[in-house]
Amino acid sequence: DIQMTQSPSSLSASVGDRVTITCRASQNINNYLNWYQQKPGKAPKVLIYAASSLQSGVPSRFSGSGSGTDFTLTISSLQPEDFATYYCQQSYSAFRSFGGGTKVEIK
Amino acid sequence: QLQLQESGPGLVTPSETLSLTCTVSGDSIRSGRSYWGWIRQPPGKGLEWIGSIYYSGVTYYNPSLKSRVTISMDTSKNHFSLEVTSVTAADAAVYYCARDPPGTTGTTHDYYNMDVWGKGTTVTVSS
């Protein structure tokens, strides 16, 4: 099975900051990588699919990059509504797996 | 508009079987080459993929749970179900169901992502 490792597990940032979250896969997954945002008490919502494609309706301040085993989610200018937990997930294998999550908190 | 709704007992006795159903409206679970998945989230922890059932009925399970998990589908009722046997306190979580459909075509296979989720149902394990 494919293990997904995210870092950091949490971070503190201010509105307007540029934020970067990384995700590493235990094997080559090409670009079969999705990013989700989850707010407290809510189901996750997909932000990025295929490593760098923006899901319809998602603000352009979110972007994704990477291929192979190393991936990045970037928020170019953090907004108040972006304080949440972010997860990566691989869809290379039918045996799906998620990263451990990165909680973005207000500094 | 596609909607998924989890249902089932909110309280399960230790060593018993947890059974949940995800009812799908607005799409057929036999169409579109989608996977239909179960994901759980223990209190204060991250997301854990439990398993999925492909539109054809083929199932895939998290290796760490495989011996205790069964996912099935009932096309006549347009729903899919989850059973977890021999539950312990570690199985207490919010359980989500999600659609995992194919999108654009990739280099080796289609890109999938979990685009629609249920609201989640909380399961407590206690005697």
Side-chain angles (χ1 to χ4, degrees):
Chain A
D1 51 330
I2 301 172
Q3 308 298 323
M4 308 300 294
T5 303
Q6 280 182 243
S7 62
S9 56
S10 66
L11 65 89
S12 295
S14 300
V15 172
D17 284 353
R18 181 182 182 87
V19 169
T20 299
I21 299 168
T22 63
C23 176
R24 174 165 289 176
S26 61
Q27 68 179 70
N28 181 7
I29 59 170
N30 292 336
N31 61 339
Y32 291 90
L33 190 283
N34 304 315
W35 289 98
Y36 298 83
Q37 176 193 64
Q38 186 182 32
K39 295 182 179 180
K42 300 294 187 181
K45 164 190 166 185
V46 61
L47 300 175
I48 301 282
Y49 65 95
S52 60
S53 295
L54 201 64
Q55 183 76 347
S56 177
V58 174
S60 59
R61 62 181 180 272
F62 291 94
S63 64
S65 64
S67 185
T69 60
D70 294 313
F71 302 88
T72 299
L73 173 70
T74 299
I75 309 173
S76 61
S77 178
L78 197 65
Q79 297 302 300
E81 60 268 31
D82 301 337
F83 291 95
T85 302
Y86 295 84
Y87 296 91
C88 62
Q89 175 244 326
Q90 63 80 18
S91 62
Y92 179 83
S93 166
F95 297 88
R96 308 299 196 215
S97 48
F98 289 91
T102 297
K103 186 174 184 179
V104 177
E105 300 176 299
I106 301 172
K107 182 183 285 186
Chain B
Q1 179 184 358
L2 176 67
Q3 291 185 318
L4 282 70
Q5 177 70 57
E6 304 92 349
S7 60
L11 178 64
V12 183
T13 303
S15 79
E16 297 295 306
T17 296
L18 179 164
S19 297
L20 297 174
T21 295
C22 180
T23 300
V24 179
S25 58
D27 189 16
S28 168
I29 61 174
R30 289 302 299 269
S31 71
R33 297 185 295 114
S34 292
Y35 294 86
W36 301 89
W38 286 99
I39 303 94
R40 70 181 184 181
Q41 186 169 37
K45 296 189 177 181
L47 301 171
E48 178 180 36
W49 175 75
I50 301 170
S52 300
I53 187 163
Y54 195 43
Y55 78 109
S56 61
V58 177
T59 53
Y60 302 85
Y61 300 125
N62 186 321
S64 68
L65 298 169
K66 181 178 181 179
S67 64
R68 299 193 295 125
V69 170
T70 301
I71 296 174
S72 58
M73 63 184 356
D74 185 333
T75 55
S76 67
K77 297 180 180 178
N78 210 41
H79 73 212
F80 61 106
S81 300
L82 170 71
E83 286 194 343
V84 181
T85 61
S86 304
V87 299
T88 69
D91 295 307
V94 176
Y95 284 75
Y96 295 100
C97 58
R99 183 181 73 164
D100 188 4
T104 54
T105 301
T107 52
T108 56
H109 55 273
D110 292 337
Y111 293 105
Y112 282 78
N113 71 80
M114 298 177 191
D115 67 341
V116 181
W117 295 62
K119 293 182 178 181
T121 188
T122 300
V123 174
T124 301
V125 178
S126 175
S127 55

